[in-house]
Amino acid sequence: MPSVTIYTQFGDYINPNIVNEAIKSLGFDEVYDITYACEIVTEITRKEIENVRKPAISPFCPSVVRLINASYPELMEHVIKVLTPIEVAAILIREKYRKMGFKDEEVGVFFLTPCVGWITKVKNIQKNTKSQINGAIAISDVYSKILRYISKNNKNIETNGTVAMSYSGLRWATVGGQSTSMHFKEHIDVDGVKNVIRVLDDIEKGKFDDVEFIEAHACTEGCLGGILLVDNPFNAKRVLKKFSSQLNFTNRMSKISEHYKNEFLSDGYIKTSKGLKLADDFESAVKKMKYMNEIINMLPGIDCGQCGSPSCKAFAEDVVRGFSKVEECIMLKKGVKNYEG
């Protein structure tokens, strides 16, 4: 299941069929179009928003949900209890292969992600529930192989004309894409952790009661600014705009059954991020707490969110739990040892 951001990473428009063939060359049997799942989540969210306190907050960005859970727990009642398109897509894939006679353990479902936050989230889900997703793979880890395949086979692959994708689903990769797809009149679209914090602070103070929907992204420029991508996010945004003229956009959304409505509604992402212990026994927990404090002192304290965690403290906690590695801190890579501001 590739994030749609992968199609924007090659400097200019590349037919998605070619990119999909390149992905399959890595050893995958099928590439699933997540934009269809975005349509499903869009329709469910437009109805489910009535059941949460306003302003309703999108659960799409895992780093934002973790930030709310850790620092603004009273705002969790504002988060819409619907699964993300990635989780919905995984459920649909599982269902498809079960009908084909495959057992769950015979099928591996992986998300090609632009975001470290999703790698952490998948590991969290796997630890606490039976996940439909086997793992998350960084786009940057497979990018060179995909690019090499495209460069070698670009002219030889049959593109089959236009590609059918969901326009509204594709726009989910950009800031404001969700809000626009759902046709909300009063909405706030915000990107970057520090800006998200300003908005959450104001919600906590009782502001924005007249706002229907908050679309919040930890990464600047939304998913296009994910740390696990390669191309400049602003160029990726330009490339994404080209899709509107190159692709045969379709709306494949028919009436959603009550079964799917119930299956795709969940507060599981809230439960899995609460009350996690560092260790089962006291001695190990103390050792891990000490190690966590050492990591916190090593980090720059910027809370930039580019590691996929909402804060340096949360990142240190992820490292101790084995969900992340210290070298995934982009500021340490850049040589930023401390921060004064």
Side-chain angles (χ1 to χ4, degrees), residues 204-260:
E204 199 173 45
K205 294 173 184 175
K207 297 182 179 180
F208 307 142
D209 288 342
D210 57 333
V211 175
E212 280 185 282
F213 185 70
I214 304 287
E215 178 185 330
H217 301 263
C219 295
T220 302
E221 289 298 317
C223 294
L224 292 178
I227 192 175
L228 301 181
L229 293 177
V230 176
D231 199 14
N232 183 301
F234 302 101
N235 184 59
K237 188 176 181 179
R238 176 188 69 85
V239 173
L240 193 67
K241 289 180 180 178
K242 282 197 172 186
F243 277 71
S244 60
S245 60
Q246 299 288 341
L247 298 185
N248 176 28
F249 289 112
T250 59
N251 189 325
R252 295 163 292 179
M253 194 64 259
S254 56
K255 186 177 179 180
I256 304 174
S257 69
E258 290 300 319
H259 166 72
Y260 277 139

Side-chain angles (χ1 to χ4, degrees), residues 40 51 78 148 264:
I40 294 175
N51 297 323
H78 291 260
R148 195 178 306 124
F264 297 152

